[in-house]
Amino acid sequence: MSAPQREKWNSSLGFILAAAGSAIGLGNIWRFPYITGKNGGGSFVLLYLGIVLLVGLPIMYLELALGRSTGKGPVGAIASVAPKSLWKFLGYLAVITGIGILSFYGVVAGWTVYYFFKSFISGFTPGQSGNVFGSFVTSGSKQIIFMGIFMGLTTGVVVMGVKGGIEKLSTVLMPVLLVLMLGLIIYAMTLPKAMSGLKFYLVPTSAGFTKTTFIYALGQAFFSLSLGMGAMLTYGSYLQKKENILRAGLIVVIFDTAIALMAGFIIFPVLGGAPAAAGPGLVFVVITDLFSVLPGGRIIAMAFFAMLAIAALTSTISLLEVAASYLIDEHKMKRPAAALTVGAITFCVGIPSALSLGASKFLSNIGSFAGRSWGFLDIFDYVFGNLSLAIGGMLLVVFVLWKWKLQHAEEEIFANSKAGPWVKYVLRPLTIFVAPAAVALVIGFLLFTGKTLS
Ligand code: PHE
């Protein structure tokens, strides 16, 4: 079933850094602290950790296993297990979801580049961050230009290939990300409000903790671990047979979760408590405003936005790689042509999102639903960033259990591992019952409440 000439990761560490790079992104550094703030601080953190282990990890294993066993991306992998069946639409869903997420993620990723340069060139005036943000997001040309810059960077890395582009870049950037984060944590701890921020972050309370908190934690785990759209499946398809999936998958999950937790150790000490603003405002307005009055704030802001940009880039390349590898494998395109095609398509699909933050009245407010107004970017986030990931993840589990068979998945996951049989007996019920049930809950919530998870 495997394609012998397929490009492979150079080393286990290279794979781990690339997969962790995909997982670690805006989802960890921006979304996690904000959702934690909204959902009860410390109690949410505990719940999140449980869900990552019980639901995220088993699905991560299934994606990696199916990818490595077939040596293909989502479309090819499904075709090699169930040729000529309707399941192929699950593969196409994955490719489309990757483009869909990248199209709006690229807009926000572009902000990190703008903010990095702005910190470098002029810095921020205290009290002005709200205005700066407002005039930036409502400028259609700036939104398109910075999204385009980010899409160009992403495409460039994917053109350079799995080993020469993705692995090399991740091997350099992930340690830089770690160093930047550690530096920022140390700095954040010296701030006057650090202790009250940490108390909110770490001491479980019941405030904000509701029935739906559970759903938010699940959705966050999915998005953060890059599950449900074939990114991990595709990265798994470049894994050598000698690698140990049981160990590598666990390290990636721990790494991703550790970075999310570390982001909280930066954001909450800076804020000194629960975040007052929701959504993008948290990082781009509140934090920027705070940096502008702190000693050395300009350098700190540069480090902070460099960190966000790096995290975003190693995620966007995995989003682009899924569709590019589809064109390479299934349509025999050359890698540069495939990457450029997907990059160009995604850039065009991203334009309406870029214009939906105030530049275009129509795109910024397409309609009202579930008690709020929806712009183009909100709709894409809901459809691709929330719903489609959950549906894709659910169908993937069903596909593996029903078509591919759990036994094949287990052979792949446990190959090269010395783990005792008990690991299998713990993992099995999680894969068969817990993970699908949990994901079904998310799908129900999204469809019946019309709320998003962010
Ligand atoms: N995991 C990435 C993040 O946390 C986002 C992502 C989702 C990347 C799905 C790939 C696939 O930012």
Side-chain angles (χ1 to χ4, degrees):
M1 265 203 279
S2 67
Q5 73 283 48
R6 191 176 182 77
E7 203 183 347
K8 292 282 152 74
W9 305 109
N10 239 335
S11 67
S12 329
L13 183 66
F15 162 74
I16 286 169
L17 293 176
S22 164
I24 296 164
L26 299 172
N28 302 56
I29 301 175
W30 161 66
R31 207 174 187 245
F32 177 79
Y34 146 61
I35 292 191
T36 303
K38 225 173 65 170
N39 284 285
S43 330
F44 178 84
V45 174
L46 278 182
L47 178 70
Y48 179 76
L49 292 180
I51 286 176
V52 161
L53 274 184
L54 300 181
V55 181
L57 186 63
I59 299 183
M60 170 75 74
Y61 283 145
L62 295 188
E63 283 209 25
L64 292 176
L66 182 61
R68 181 172 67 182
S69 163
T70 57
K72 298 271 173 60
V75 174
I78 286 171
S80 28
V81 172
K84 301 207 172 36
S85 76
L86 284 179
W87 281 104
K88 66 172 178 249
F89 288 105
L90 175 56
Y92 295 133
L93 177 72
V95 172
I96 293 170
T97 304
I99 294 177
I101 296 182
L102 182 55
S103 74
F104 70 84
Y105 197 98
V107 175
V108 182
W111 299 354
T112 65
V113 177
Y114 176 82
Y115 269 72
F116 173 77
F117 282 115
K118 184 137 179 78
S119 325
F120 180 62
I121 294 167
S122 64
F124 296 89
T125 320
Q128 288 303 308
S129 298
N131 295 341
V132 170
F133 184 71
S135 59
F136 172 56
V137 293
T138 51
S139 154
S141 54
K142 281 191 183 147
Q143 290 304 305
I144 292 177
I145 290 169
F146 281 93
M147 184 261 280
I149 292 175
F150 215 90
M151 227 54 111
L153 284 173
T154 307
T155 308
V157 180
V158 173
V159 165
M160 290 193 289
V162 174
K163 262 194 287 217
I166 303 176
E167 181 169 358
K168 228 186 214 141
L169 183 92
S170 309
T171 314
V172 175
L173 287 189
M174 294 312 283
V176 175
L177 177 78
L178 260 181
V179 171
L180 283 176
M181 286 195 94
L182 287 174
L184 285 165
I185 291 178
I186 295 172
Y187 173 84
M189 293 303 164
T190 64
L191 297 175
K193 287 190 289 184
M195 278 308 133
S196 55
L198 284 183
K199 193 164 155 236
F200 169 77
Y201 183 40
L202 297 175
V203 180
T205 57
S206 57
F209 196 83
T210 63
K211 266 180 275 167
T212 44
T213 298
F214 180 72
I215 307 277
Y216 282 89
L218 267 163
Q220 173 61 20
F222 241 72
F223 187 84
S224 185
L225 294 170
S226 301
L227 298 175
M229 49 71 66
M232 288 301 165
L233 194 155
T234 306
Y235 276 19
S237 74
Y238 306 128
L239 259 180
Q240 300 188 24
K241 284 287 173 205
K242 63 176 201 295
E243 301 290 354
N244 175 346
I245 290 188
L246 192 71
R247 194 185 57 196
L250 182 66
I251 298 177
V252 171
V253 168
I254 292 177
F255 201 170
D256 181 65
T257 309
I259 294 284
L261 294 175
M262 283 167 67
F265 279 98
I266 300 171
I267 305 278
F268 291 106
V270 174
L271 291 176
L282 175 57
V283 162
F284 293 96
V285 179
V286 183
I287 298 277
T288 308
D289 223 20
L290 288 165
F291 284 157
S292 71
V293 292
L294 292 173
R298 200 151 143 200
I299 306 269
I300 302 297
M302 277 169 61
F304 183 81
F305 289 112
M307 166 187 87
L308 272 181
I310 290 172
L313 182 62
T314 49
S315 296
T316 53
I317 54 184
S318 72
L319 288 160
L320 193 88
E321 175 65 18
V322 173
S325 74
Y326 161 71
L327 293 181
I328 296 167
D329 291 345
E330 313 301 319
H331 295 277
K332 308 288 165 251
M333 266 170 99
K334 292 258 182 309
R335 177 167 278 278
L340 285 167
T341 306
V342 181
I345 293 176
T346 317
F347 174 71
C348 296
V349 179
I351 290 176
S353 281
L355 298 177
S356 73
L357 302 151
S360 148
K361 263 216 172 73
F362 168 69
L363 292 168
S364 309
N365 184 3
I366 292 187
S368 284
F369 176 61
R372 59 175 276 210
S373 84
W374 294 67
F376 194 88
L377 193 151
D378 304 320
I379 297 175
F380 260 52
D381 179 27
Y382 176 71
V383 172
F384 295 109
N386 292 275
L387 193 56
S388 179
L389 286 184
I391 292 179
M394 177 79 183
L395 290 176
L396 179 95
V397 178
V398 174
F399 178 77
V400 168
L401 295 177
W402 192 19
K403 283 284 168 187
W404 192 39
K405 305 295 178 214
L406 187 58
Q407 182 204 340
H408 292 128
E410 286 181 343
E411 278 164 17
E412 201 66 39
I413 296 167
F414 289 90
N416 314 316
S417 140
K418 293 190 195 72
W422 66 270
V423 182
K424 206 174 271 179
Y425 299 124
V426 172
L427 205 55
R428 202 175 277 172
L430 295 178
T431 313
I432 301 179
F433 302 111
V434 179
V439 182
L441 268 178
V442 175
I443 298 175
F445 171 84
L446 288 167
L447 288 179
F448 295 113
T449 67
K451 289 191 178 145
T452 62
L453 298 173
S454 54

